[in-house]
Amino acid sequence: MNKEQIEKLLERYLDGETTNEEENLLRHYFTTTQIVPPEWEAYKALFCWEVSQQQPANSNSAMAASTPKRQKSHLLIAASIAVLLLIGAGIVATLLHPSHARQQTIQNYAVLDGRFTTDATVIAREVEEALLLVSASDEDTFDAIENLEIP
């Protein structure tokens, strides 16, 4: 191919009017020609890069063979994540369940004569006794007012 033919093909290529055969001629020219005019260096780089990006037929079969393995590992990872999310949701639901919250509440307690007790009957008896000590009848209230010393 001479310079004029390449120029015409390049012009048609840039306008998007070349056929596959013409593009193959350009690829062949730029990948096999060692020295090109300086104004075509960019085209040489373009076509050489394009050819280097095309994968040979045997690498496609290798890629197809590895795809199921890759898909299997992705499925395994996705399944593991789903299981972890379900376990986490179960733990959160268990912790937030009302019956679990009741089990975790602190029981009522009292310190009586320096001893710690949670026995409800003992605590109820002591509370009643304490209330009796501080409670007053209606008559006692008025008697207390009369006994006040007012300066």
Side-chain angles (χ1 to χ4, degrees):
M1 282 182 135
N2 62 26
K3 189 174 179 179
E4 289 178 6
Q5 289 174 324
I6 298 295
E7 282 179 349
K8 286 180 183 179
L9 280 177
L10 283 173
E11 191 174 314
R12 292 189 63 222
Y13 177 80
L14 294 174
D15 290 337
E17 298 174 351
T18 53
T19 64
N20 286 339
E21 291 177 14
E22 291 170 329
E23 288 178 17
N24 285 336
L25 287 172
L26 286 172
R27 280 188 202 93
H28 178 65
Y29 172 78
F30 283 108
T31 55
T32 58
T33 305
Q34 295 295 324
I35 300 173
V36 294
E39 65 268 16
W40 290 353
E41 287 292 330
Y43 298 117
K44 179 174 176 62
L46 171 73
F47 285 109
C48 287
W49 174 83
E50 189 179 275
V51 168
S52 71
Q53 294 303 307
Q54 294 175 348
Q55 295 181 352
N58 60 357
S59 69
N60 279 342
S61 63
M63 182 67 121
S66 69
T67 301
K69 290 179 184 177
R70 192 174 300 161
Q71 287 176 346
K72 187 176 182 179
S73 66
H74 288 174
L75 285 174
L76 183 62
I77 291 170
S80 300
I81 291 171
V83 166
L84 289 175
L85 286 174
L86 287 173
I87 290 171
I91 290 171
V92 169
T94 302
L95 291 176
L96 295 178
H97 195 271
S99 67
H100 190 270
R102 275 182 266 145
Q103 291 173 357
Q104 295 229 341
T105 58
I106 298 173
Q107 294 179 347
N108 293 331
Y109 69 94
V111 179
L112 304 171
D113 298 326
R115 290 174 299 154
F116 180 82
T117 183
T118 58
D119 186 3
T121 57
V122 172
I123 293 172
R125 185 181 68 232
E126 291 294 323
V127 167
E128 284 180 26
E129 288 178 13
L131 287 174
L132 286 175
L133 288 174
V134 296
S135 67
S137 66
D138 290 336
E139 294 174 9
D140 290 341
T141 304
F142 292 110
D143 288 342
I145 292 175
E146 290 175 4
N147 291 334
L148 284 175
E149 293 180 19
I150 301 176

